[in-house]
Amino acid sequence: MDHLDDLENQSIFILREAYKNFKNLAMLWSIGKDSTVMVWLARKAFFGECPIPLVHIDTSYKIPAMIEYRDRVAKEWGLNLVVGQNKKALDEGMNHEMGRMVCCEALKTQGLQQVMEAKGYTGLILGIRRDEEGTRAKERYFSPRDKNFEWNFKDQPPELWDQFKTTFKEGTHIRIHPILHWTELNVWEYIQREKIPIIDLYFANKEGRRYRSLGCAPCTGSIESNAKNVDEIVYELKHNITTAERSGRAQDQEDTYAMQKLRAKGYM
């Protein structure tokens, strides 16, 4: 057994504990590498099928290739895909020029809240990682939110020696993070080992640029890179990367505590 087996086993355990202890769960699928690995793990955890509906929040500003990939993979893997969208905000003209944090809250956070309430989901499984961004390092595997999805990161249950709190008072919204302990390199090594089909926006184009993190087109920048496949990305991460993973995400640059402020209000 190697370190990827250890990571996989822990994640599958978290997924099965979540499915056993909480009703009406949904899983957020952003189309990026992390949440796609999480879906792969869920299919392993439940013997080839994912019994949990996948929610994708479509801001209408996603890179078009992401939507094509989403629909194709959902069909190939037999996924129950639920697409949410804050149509009212879009009809009123919401976009990143009104402020990137304002736009994220309206189109992502509120869009997510709307679909959760409409479908009656009481908990959400997400593919976030501690090493991805400082605020996410404060998360727990089982993290409670209040009825408005708001997060008090200063008041969270301890998770010591793999003992997890899975009972909460009625009305609590639960966020579950099965790959919290993975790193960016772990994710790519796992994609390499499992041969997971990943969207090709992560691979370098003819101009020598690729995406390291995926989001809305107006707010997501590419990086210089010659990594054209998974093997070359793994090598690049081990030897040539000196910048933060989310350095190309414009909303993170708008405020020093942008992600913490967004997540406290229910951002994914």
Side-chain angles (χ1 to χ4, degrees):
M1 181 179 292
D2 64 13
H3 71 291
L4 293 179
D5 292 321
D6 291 337
L7 294 168
E8 179 187 75
N9 289 342
Q10 177 80 341
S11 296
I12 287 176
F13 174 74
I14 297 294
L15 284 163
R16 288 175 174 166
E17 283 294 293
Y19 191 66
K20 181 181 72 175
N21 289 289
F22 300 101
K23 305 299 181 187
N24 300 324
L25 288 176
M27 184 180 294
L28 191 70
W29 188 27
S30 72
I31 320 301
K33 63 188 185 308
D34 302 315
S35 60
T36 301
V37 163
M38 183 178 66
V39 176
W40 185 270
L41 289 163
R43 295 170 73 227
K44 278 198 165 187
F46 301 107
F47 309 104
E49 294 185 0
C50 181
I52 303 166
L54 298 185
V55 170
H56 176 71
I57 303 303
D58 187 352
T59 63
S60 81
Y61 296 108
K62 297 292 185 185
I63 301 169
M66 295 173 66
I67 304 303
E68 184 279 329
Y69 172 88
R70 178 196 72 187
D71 294 342
R72 176 172 54 81
V73 172
K75 184 177 181 180
E76 290 175 357
W77 290 0
L79 304 173
N80 178 10
L81 178 65
V82 177
V83 177
Q85 190 172 64
N86 189 346
K87 295 184 183 299
K88 180 174 182 294
L90 287 170
D91 289 344
E92 293 172 351
M94 179 56 67
N95 63 66
H96 66 286
E97 294 180 353
M98 296 181 177
R100 297 183 194 278
M101 290 176 61
V102 172
C103 187
C104 278
E105 183 176 352
L107 298 186
K108 293 183 178 179
T109 305
Q110 293 177 16
L112 175 62
Q113 289 176 339
Q114 289 171 8
V115 74
M116 296 286 287
E117 290 170 359
K119 296 290 184 179
Y121 299 136
T122 58
L124 187 67
I125 305 174
L126 302 97
I128 68 164
R129 310 185 328 265
R130 289 195 184 104
D131 80 319
E132 189 179 2
E133 190 274 331
T135 304
R136 287 173 169 166
K138 301 175 183 177
E139 284 283 5
R140 300 291 191 265
Y141 287 100
F142 294 89
S143 181
R145 264 66 170 170
D146 69 14
K147 63 180 181 181
N148 298 316
F149 296 2
E150 293 183 354
W151 178 45
N152 182 359
F153 56 86
K154 296 180 180 178
D155 182 20
Q156 298 191 84
E159 291 184 336
L160 304 175
W161 302 289
D162 286 348
Q163 301 298 308
F164 306 111
K165 177 177 171 61
T166 56
T167 56
F168 298 91
K169 64 181 180 181
E170 190 172 351
T172 302
H173 168 71
I174 299 297
R175 296 285 176 96
I176 299 143
H177 307 118
I179 65 167
L180 195 61
H181 52 300
W182 294 49
T183 67
E184 181 186 14
L185 178 59
N186 294 152
V187 168
W188 280 109
E189 288 176 329
Y190 190 73
I191 291 169
Q192 182 184 45
R193 187 184 84 170
E194 300 286 312
K195 296 180 173 54
I196 301 173
I198 210 77
I199 188 168
D200 59 9
L201 290 169
Y202 284 112
F203 306 134
N205 59 21
K206 294 179 180 177
E207 287 72 42
R209 302 195 68 85
R210 71 176 185 88
Y211 289 96
R212 194 172 165 199
S213 178
L214 295 180
C216 294
C219 301
T220 306
S222 58
I223 63 168
E224 290 186 7
S225 172
N226 293 315
K228 297 183 178 64
N229 54 52
V230 175
D231 293 347
E232 292 176 4
I233 289 176
V234 170
Y235 182 88
E236 183 181 79
L237 288 173
K238 288 182 176 178
H239 301 284
N240 297 329
I241 284 290
T242 58
T243 57
E245 181 179 355
R246 289 180 60 91
S247 57
R249 302 295 289 272
Q251 68 268 40
D252 290 20
Q253 321 307 323
E254 192 167 272
D255 185 296
T256 303
Y257 299 102
M259 185 59 77
Q260 183 163 295
K261 292 176 180 177
L262 284 169
R263 291 186 66 77
K265 293 181 178 179
Y267 186 80
M268 49 281 283

